[in-house]
Amino acid sequence: KTTQKQISFWQAITFWHSIWKPELRLHKPLIYTQNCTHKETEVKVWSGRAAFLLGLPALSCLGYAAYRKVQSSAVVCALDRGEVLEQADYLYSCAETEKLYQLLVQYKDSNDAEFLWRLARASRDLSLLPNIEAGRKKQLTFEAFEYAKKALEKDDLCSAAHKWYGVCLSDVGDYEGVKVKIGNSYIIRDHLERAIELNPKDATSIHILGYWCFAFAELPWYQRKVAAVIFSSPPESTYEEALAFFLKAEEVDPNFYSKNLLMLGKTYLAMKDKEKALLWLTKTKEYPAHTLEDKEVHKEAVDLLKKLG
């Protein structure tokens, strides 16, 4: 019989499921420069609840023209690899999930990791749309994992392949039971660490790894006992370890994500450092709220600040 403690523990160890669930995910309005003179275009990328501000290479004028073509065509026929990847990245930045999937699924038999990890991400994003039927959602979830797995097989030095393998492995765990999900948490961490090793400037992966640490650090002793029954050696971490990752993410890309600011405040609170907790919670409160998640984060920061007096 499932106990309340078991339910509580299960909610805790599936933290990655909560941070990657879909909500209103567009971080801020798209900023796009058509004159093609800037080295970097600022775009706000949809990626589940963890919607991150990423700097993507500016599109060429040809890329922009190609995107205009996409708007009137369900499937895009590109001339070469570079153009396809450029179109894919632009569609992703614009949250054109279905068009992106239709573009990339044409390359499902490719041996190119760059196509495959993007297809894994697109399949996963499509599975998270609210209008997707349950059976189709499950199918897309497992397809996403297979594409990520194949991407990793084709290029195990690809940081994004490791990241999305970890994310998709977590997703399929939702269909495979509690023990498998807990066991997979070790593998997920390994792949996030490898993704960071290959791309130390990826603030997204660093943040997620910090959240992984925080979730297991805050488990109370009785939930650890339950975990030990379900799984002989449950994952463990500390607030100090979580803090190091959150700070590193902020160092790599300052103010890239409101949730990272909030987690810094909460981690310092857990470590009983009120002064630093106030600093980061105040920064969270002042962060521009452009998405539903930003607004939720803002509210939580305000509530915590009130409690701190």
Side-chain angles (χ1 to χ4, degrees), residues 132-152:
I132 294 295
E133 182 268 331
R136 177 63 172 153
K137 175 184 175 68
K138 181 177 180 180
Q139 178 188 359
L140 286 165
T141 297
F142 279 87
E143 283 182 6
F145 175 69
E146 290 302 318
Y147 294 138
K149 181 180 177 181
K150 185 178 177 182
L152 207 53

Side-chain angles (χ1 to χ4, degrees), residues 33 53 63 70 76 82 131 145-146 154 173 207 228 243 256 264 295:
T33 303
L53 172 59
V70 170
V76 182
N131 61 338
F145 175 69
E146 290 302 318
K154 298 304 178 182
H207 167 81
L243 178 64
F256 76 106
L264 278 163
K295 292 175 183 177

Side-chain angles (χ1 to χ4, degrees), residues 119-130:
L119 179 54
R121 181 181 65 183
S123 301
R124 179 182 185 274
D125 285 349
L126 188 60
S127 78
L128 297 177
L129 293 180

Side-chain angles (χ1 to χ4, degrees), residues 208-229:
I208 296 172
L209 191 49
Y211 207 109
W212 189 103
C213 295
F214 184 92
F216 287 110
E218 72 173 351
L219 285 181
W221 67 267
Y222 62 86
Q223 290 182 350
R224 295 183 191 280
K225 291 285 188 181
V226 174
V229 172

